[in-house]
């Protein structure tokens, strides 16, 4: 059982930056991957970035070079640094963990809203 809580969402103008964090609690074992997943208005959920326990990261093409995912395993915190934000980055951002066989995630946070104004 893993409990995930996001923070750091807000409103920013296009071109700006925003940092998100996710605190994990519970007894997650064995070591697990984590991700930031977003859902834009009227769109399905999209894996923005994922990271394994050792720090290997993957990014959606749309955010490559602009977003950076990282984690502090000792503190059990997941981060997403978002730079050069675009209006199309607007959406609800969820912290997730434990990839499932179906390509989704087993545990989810409550989400934090990110709004990028044009």
């Amino acid at each position: 059982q893993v409990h995930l809580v996001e923070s750091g969402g807000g409103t920013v103008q296009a071109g700006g930056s925003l940092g998100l964090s996710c605190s994990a609690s519970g007894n997650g074992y064995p070591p697990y991957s984590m991700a930031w997943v977003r859902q834009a208005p009227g769109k399905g959920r999209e894996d923005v970035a994922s990271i394994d326990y050792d720090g290997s990261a993957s990014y959606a093409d749309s955010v490559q070079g602009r977003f950076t995912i990282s984690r502090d395993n000792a503190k059990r915190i997941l981060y997403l640094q978002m730079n050069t934000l675009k209006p199309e980055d607007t959406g609800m951002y969820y912290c997730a963990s434990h990839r499932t066989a179906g390509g989704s995630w087993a545990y989810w946070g409550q989400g934090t809203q990110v709004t990028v104004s044009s």
Side-chain angles (χ1 to χ4, degrees), residues 45-116:
R45 287 178 290 180
E46 172 190 32
D47 282 12
V48 174
S50 62
I51 185 168
D52 67 18
Y53 194 76
D54 291 327
S56 180
S58 296
Y59 299 90
D61 289 342
S62 60
V63 307
Q64 180 70 46
R66 299 188 297 118
F67 291 11
T68 301
I69 188 171
S70 61
R71 64 192 295 171
D72 185 327
N73 292 331
K75 296 181 178 180
R76 302 189 71 183
I77 300 177
L78 178 72
Y79 302 97
L80 183 67
Q81 180 62 45
M82 304 181 290
N83 298 324
T84 318
L85 283 161
K86 304 174 181 179
E88 51 263 45
D89 293 320
T90 293
M92 186 70 71
Y93 283 68
Y94 299 91
C95 174
S97 70
H98 294 78
R99 183 181 290 278
T100 68
S104 187
W105 303 90
Y107 299 101
W108 297 79
Q110 82 287 353
T112 186
Q113 178 67 36
V114 172
T115 301
V116 184

